[in-house]
Amino acid sequence: MKNLLNKNQVLHYILCFFTTVSGFTQMNVVFIESDDQSNQAVGAYGNTLMVTPNIDQLASEGISFTAAYNMGCWSPAVCIPSRTMLMYGKYLWDAKKINRKNAPKSLPEKLQDNGYYTYMTGKWHASGKPVESIFNETGSIRSGQFNTYYTEEGHITDVTASEAANFITNYKGEKPFFAYVAFNAPHVPRETEQQYYNLYPTDKITLPPSFSDQMRLNKNIKYQYAPDPLRLKTMQKRVQRNNAMVTHMDVRIGDIIKALKDKGIYDRTLIVFTSDHGINFGENGVSGKVCLYEPSVTAPLIVKAPGFDANRKINQRVYLQDIAPTLFDLLKLKPMEATDFKSLLPLISKKQNVRNSIYLAMFDDQRGMISGDYKLIIYPETKVLELYNIKKDPWETTNLYQKKESKKIITKLLKELKIWQQKTGDMADLTAIFTPYKI
C-alpha cells in the first residue's frame, strides 16, 4: 500500500508539473544577465553579508542552480565566449568559429520564429550578427569595457534598468515578449555611489581559505590583474567595490520587478537571473577570471516561474548556457536549429540528471574535468596537474595529485576529458599528459 501511495504521489506531481509547463506557452520572459558575478556575490547562495534582496526574492520564489558552469574561453574577455555560446547554442570551440557571415540562428531569432517580440538593453559582447539585426527592438547598447559608468544619461546600471522597466510598462503588443536585460555590473571600473560602498566595510570582509596575505600569483595563469604578491587589503577593497556594484544592480532589478507587478504580469512572467561567469579575488593565487577555479567558472543561475517549488536548490552540475534549451522546453517551443546544450527540464521535474561530467577549457593552456566529487585541472604547457575533492574541499585548498590513491581517479578523469575533446572538437595536444596514464 505504501509503495502504491508513493507511486501515486509521484504521478500526481509529474502531472501537475507538466500541466503547469503547458501553461507557459504565452509566458513573457525577462532574462537578466550580470557581468563577472560569482556565486559569492549573491546572498541566496550563502553569503549572509551580501545585500541582494531582489535577487534573493527570485531565488526564494524559484529554483537556484548552485553549480552552474561556464565552459571556458578563447579570449581574455571571458564574457565573449560565454555570451556567444548562450546566444548560438554551440559548445566552446564551435562558438569560436562564429562570425557575422556564418552565424547560425540566434536565441532571440528562434524566439521570434515562435511568436515572441524580442527586446534588449545593456551590454552586448557576443560574436556573430550585429545585435540590432537579431532583436526586434533595442535600447542603449553598451560595449564590454569602458572607462566610467557615469554618462550624460546617468549611471549605466540605472539607465539599463530604467530602459528595461520602461519597455515592460509601455509594451502593448499582442505577442509575448522576451526582454534580455544585460547589465555591465559588477565589471570594472566598479564605480557606484558611496552608500553602496558603505554597506561593505573592508575590515569586515573575510576572504576564503584559498587566499592568504602575501600570496604569490599563480604562475600557471597568464592573465592576472594585480601586483605580485597579492595583498589582503587590495583584495578586500576589490571585493568591497564588487559587492557594492552588485547591490546597486540589485536595487535596479527591484525596479524591473516592480514594473512587472505594476502591469499585473509578474505572476505570468518567467524570469531568469544569471551571469556570464564569476571571478577570483585572490583565491588560489588568481586575481582575474581566466582560470578554472570555482569562483571564476561558476556563476548564479536562478529561474523563477509559476508552478515551481519555492526556494528550491539544485546542486547537480550544469552549464550556464543550458538555460537556453530549458526555456524552449518550459515554453513548449521548438527551436529551429539544434543546440549543443541540454535542457534542464529533467532536473527541474526531478526525473533525472542531465550531465555526468563537466568539461572546462581556457585557451590551450588550461583544461579541466569534473566528475563525481573530483575536479582535475591540467596546465599542458607546464604539465602541472591539480586534483581536488570539491565536495569535501569546495575552496580547492588541498591538491591530491601526488597521493597514491589518486592515480585511478586521475586516469578516469583523463579518459573522460579525451571523450570531451572529441565531442567538442578540442584540438589541444595533451599527449604528454595522457601518455603516463596510458591513455
Side-chain angles (χ1 to χ4, degrees):
M1 182 66 181
K2 184 178 180 181
N3 290 338
L4 179 61
L5 179 62
N6 289 339
K7 287 180 180 178
N8 287 338
Q9 288 174 330
V10 170
L11 180 60
H12 174 73
Y13 175 85
I14 291 173
L15 288 173
C16 288
F17 177 82
F18 282 101
T19 299
T20 301
V21 168
S22 66
F24 284 1
T25 307
Q26 293 302 311
M27 278 283 172
N28 297 307
V29 180
V30 175
F31 192 114
I32 303 171
E33 185 166 25
S34 64
D35 192 4
D36 287 14
Q37 185 178 358
S38 72
N39 286 342
Q40 289 70 53
V42 179
Y45 276 66
N47 186 346
T48 57
L49 298 180
M50 283 301 304
V51 182
T52 52
N54 292 299
I55 298 172
D56 294 351
Q57 175 189 331
L58 296 177
S60 71
E61 295 178 3
I63 294 174
S64 302
F65 293 87
T66 63
Y69 288 79
N70 175 47
M71 185 175 278
C73 76
W74 64 77
S75 163
V78 184
C79 57
I80 297 176
S82 176
R83 292 167 191 248
T84 302
M85 287 187 282
L86 172 68
M87 285 294 155
Y88 295 101
K90 299 296 183 184
Y91 281 158
L92 186 64
W93 304 116
D94 282 338
K96 183 182 179 182
K97 301 172 186 175
I98 293 174
N99 56 47
R100 290 192 176 201
K101 293 182 178 180
N102 68 9
K105 193 162 286 187
S106 65
L107 173 61
E109 289 173 306
K110 292 177 182 178
L111 286 165
Q112 289 167 28
D113 288 344
N114 282 275
Y116 273 77
Y117 185 86
T118 61
Y119 170 83
M120 190 223 160
T121 180
K123 172 175 176 173
W124 182 255
H125 214 186
S127 304
K129 303 172 186 177
V131 59
E132 294 84 359
S133 72
I134 63 175
F135 286 89
N136 293 120
E137 181 182 343
T138 61
S140 299
I141 303 302
R142 308 293 176 178
S143 63
Q145 178 68 61
F146 38 74
N147 295 323
T148 178
Y149 272 83
Y150 290 98
T151 68
E152 292 182 0
E153 297 83 16
H155 193 283
I156 286 175
T157 297
D158 297 336
V159 174
T160 299
S162 177
E163 290 186 350
N166 287 339
F167 167 77
I168 292 166
T169 299
N170 297 319
Y171 181 69
K172 294 180 174 61
E174 294 182 1
K175 295 180 179 180
F177 66 76
F178 171 83
Y180 178 50
V181 185
F183 287 99
N184 288 77
H187 193 285
V188 291
R190 303 192 185 107
E191 295 175 313
T192 186
E193 300 169 23
Q194 189 61 44
Q195 61 172 319
Y196 298 120
Y197 296 132
N198 291 342
L199 294 171
Y200 303 100
T202 53
D203 61 347
K204 302 296 183 183
I205 293 173
T206 302
L207 295 177
S210 51
F211 173 83
S212 61
D213 193 19
Q214 304 291 330
M215 190 178 216
R216 302 309 301 263
L217 288 176
N218 188 325
K219 299 304 181 184
N220 288 305
I221 309 300
K222 292 182 178 178
Y223 295 95
Q224 297 270 26
Y225 306 101
D228 192 4
L230 294 165
R231 301 296 181 92
L232 175 62
K233 289 185 178 179
T234 300
M235 293 300 106
Q236 286 175 318
K237 185 69 174 177
R238 291 189 182 184
V239 172
Q240 177 204 44
R241 299 181 73 83
N242 178 83
N243 293 356
M245 291 291 289
V246 170
T247 295
H248 182 173
M249 177 181 66
D250 183 87
V251 171
R252 298 306 168 218
I253 290 173
D255 294 342
I256 297 171
I257 291 173
K258 183 176 185 299
L260 291 168
K261 289 183 176 180
D262 288 349
K263 193 161 185 170
I265 60 173
Y266 178 76
D267 293 331
R268 294 185 287 110
T269 300
L270 191 156
I271 302 176
V272 174
F273 175 80
T274 188
S275 193
D276 43 16
H277 52 79
I279 191 168
N280 274 52
F281 289 112
E283 297 95 337
N284 295 92
V286 180
S287 177
K289 54 206 175 187
V290 189
C291 70
L292 300 184
Y293 297 111
E294 294 290 287
S296 282
V297 290
T298 60
L301 177 58
I302 299 168
V303 185
K304 172 262 170 193
F308 277 8
D309 292 345
N311 200 30
R312 181 180 165 202
K313 290 179 170 55
I314 294 180
N315 301 319
Q316 287 90 341
R317 300 182 189 98
V318 302
Y319 284 115
L320 293 164
Q321 294 81 6
D322 288 333
I323 190 59
T326 305
L327 286 178
F328 279 87
D329 270 359
L330 289 175
L331 298 168
K332 301 286 284 184
L333 306 178
K334 293 182 179 179
M336 299 297 291
E337 298 179 28
T339 174
D340 290 339
F341 292 96
K342 295 185 177 182
S343 171
L344 302 177
L345 189 58
L347 269 177
I348 294 171
S349 60
K350 302 181 180 179
K351 292 178 68 177
Q352 64 184 49
N353 198 356
V354 296
R355 295 197 176 277
N356 295 320
S357 60
I358 292 289
Y359 159 88
L360 302 168
M362 296 277 179
F363 297 92
D364 283 340
D365 56 17
Q366 298 178 57
R367 289 294 180 274
M369 179 56 52
I370 308 175
S371 184
D373 295 338
Y374 291 93
K375 178 180 181 180
L376 180 68
I377 299 176
I378 301 164
Y379 301 99
E381 293 182 6
T382 61
K383 299 179 177 60
V384 171
L385 273 67
E386 297 175 4
L387 179 68
Y388 301 102
N389 184 324
I390 54 175
K391 182 178 181 180
K392 295 180 179 178
D393 179 25
W395 290 109
E396 300 159 298
T397 62
T398 304
N399 185 1
L400 305 173
Y401 163 66
Q402 292 185 327
K403 289 186 174 293
K404 184 178 179 180
E405 59 269 27
S406 294
K407 185 175 181 179
K408 184 177 180 181
I409 298 169
I410 293 172
T411 300
K412 177 181 180 294
L413 291 170
L414 288 176
K415 286 180 179 178
E416 292 192 45
L417 176 58
K418 192 168 187 177
I419 294 171
W420 267 101
Q421 279 197 290
Q422 295 168 349
K423 183 189 303 185
T424 61
D426 180 358
M427 301 302 292
D429 185 0
L430 302 183
T431 304
I433 303 296
F434 290 145
T435 300
Y437 294 89
K438 299 179 181 180
I439 295 171

